[in-house]
Amino acid sequence: MSTPRLLIAYDGSPNARTAVHAAAALFPGAEAVVFFARQPMEAFAAHLQGHPVLEGLDGLDAALLDASEKIAAAGAEFAVTLGLRAQPLVSSSVVSASEAIIAAAEDRDSGLIVLGSRGRRGLAATVLGSTSADVLHHATRPTLVIPSDAVALPRSAVTQD
């Protein structure tokens, strides 16, 4: 059986690093795209069209793109150190992160989407949303969600009692 081509959602957070670690452990040597879903300034500023505050934001979108590319590159470099054959990819679409992840997986014909989960619950999950839950509910490709250490460690302590 061949190893699937992975699309690893990566935002530089500890949870994303945990997901890269898990992917490398489960699929040693796999081909991977380390993907960062960037929200362009147009998405943020659409409702402020013509507002004077936008004049001070010139160049910010270019700086955000540069930062996004650095995040994706750092994630790919991290994946390579763990034995994956990884390359970075940045999306700049005016859609949610989950929609961008799903679209990138489709465009790349990924065999598996891998992403971390912060483990938000209750009001925080309701207000802030859950990218991993959205991807799980809407992706047409197999999806692996790696729980954050903050979620996994207490769970494993309960199962060991």
Side-chain angles (χ1 to χ4, degrees), residues 6-7 19 22-23 26-27 112-117 132 135-136 141-147:
L6 309 176
L7 182 120
L26 291 168
F27 305 102
L112 180 68
I113 300 169
V114 180
L115 67 163
S117 171
S132 59
V135 172
L136 277 172
R141 303 205 171 250
T143 303
L144 175 62
V145 177
I146 307 299

Side-chain angles (χ1 to χ4, degrees), residues 112-133:
L112 180 68
I113 300 169
V114 180
L115 67 163
S117 171
R118 289 184 171 86
R120 287 187 183 126
R121 300 177 73 176
L123 183 61
T126 302
V127 172
L128 299 173
S130 171
T131 299
S132 59

